């Protein structure tokens, strides 16, 4: 029987850098923080100290809606790590704020028959680690209150 793709219960936690710390910890306040350039206004990801469009150094993390659509996905069927059983979905999420910005994550709690390019999704966070090593991993699930095409 094909179940809805669920959440892995095991992860290799990220090791945030100075640039990516906001991305990995914004979930503490329920916010998906993505780098934005103050010179040209574009969001970009992954985090970097310079805007790849205009080369400005005036960049900083900014809260997004956490909404987007599935731009591409694959369903992993291979058990690469003990404790991380397949199947699970690895997807590129196109953020609602900027269609050029894509975040790679998992889509979870999705019925396999609903999974497709263009599926509206929303972020939620899983807290991992302890103390100074705590991170809030952004994961995505099918959007609950978004009408089809609203984000297109
Ligand atoms: Zn820029």
């Amino acid at each position: 029987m094909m179940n809805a793709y669920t959440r892995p219960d095991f992860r290799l936690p990220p090791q945030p850098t100075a640039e990516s710390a906001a991305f990995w910890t914004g979930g503490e306040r329920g916010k998906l923080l993505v780098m934005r350039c103050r010179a040209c206004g574009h969001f970009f990801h992954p985090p970097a100290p310079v805007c790849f469009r205009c080369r400005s150094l005036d960049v900083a993390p900014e809260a997004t809606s956490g909404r987007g659509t599935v731009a591409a996905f694959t369903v992993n069927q291979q058990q690469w790590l003990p404790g991380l059983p397949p199947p699970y979905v690895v997807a590129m999420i196109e953020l609602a704020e900027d269609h050029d910005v894509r975040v790679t994550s998992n889509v979870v709690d999705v019925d396999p028959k609903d999974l497709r390019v263009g599926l509206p999704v929303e972020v939620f966070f899983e807290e991992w680690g302890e103390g100074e090593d705590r991170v809030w991993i952004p994961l995505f699930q099918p959007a609950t209150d978004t009408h089809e095409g609203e984000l297109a």
Side-chain angles (χ1 to χ4, degrees):
M1 172 182 162
M2 288 288 281
N3 291 314
Y5 295 128
T6 51
R7 308 173 189 198
D9 58 2
F10 173 84
R11 290 186 181 281
L12 293 174
Q15 297 185 312
T17 62
E19 284 82 32
S20 70
F23 178 78
W24 294 116
T25 59
E28 183 174 16
R29 293 178 289 126
K31 298 293 184 186
L32 182 65
L33 300 178
V34 176
M35 280 291 196
R36 187 173 197 179
C37 175
R38 290 177 175 141
C40 73
H42 282 286
F43 285 91
F44 60 93
H45 187 79
V50 57
C51 174
F52 74 89
R53 281 193 177 83
C54 72
R55 313 306 293 174
S56 172
L57 298 175
D58 190 9
V59 300
E62 187 172 308
T64 66
S65 65
R67 293 177 172 278
T69 56
V70 174
F73 69 89
T74 186
V75 179
N76 181 61
Q77 305 285 357
Q78 172 77 35
Q79 180 139 11
W80 297 104
L81 295 168
L84 183 53
Y88 55 88
V89 179
V90 179
M92 293 176 68
I93 307 302
E94 180 181 296
L95 296 188
E97 280 76 9
D98 195 322
H99 292 237
D100 289 339
V101 180
R102 294 180 172 187
V103 174
T104 302
S105 181
N106 300 124
V107 177
V108 302
D109 298 342
V110 59
D111 191 315
K113 71 176 169 46
D114 294 334
L115 184 64
R116 60 182 170 76
V117 170
L119 178 70
V121 292
E122 61 191 8
V123 75
F124 71 99
F125 299 93
E126 275 191 4
E127 184 180 345
W128 285 80
E130 295 180 354
E132 294 296 304
D133 295 328
R134 279 193 304 169
V135 292
W136 285 259
I137 297 174
L139 300 173
F140 289 83
Q141 59 193 0
T144 52
D145 58 353
T146 299
H147 296 294
E148 192 74 18
E150 183 179 312
L151 299 173

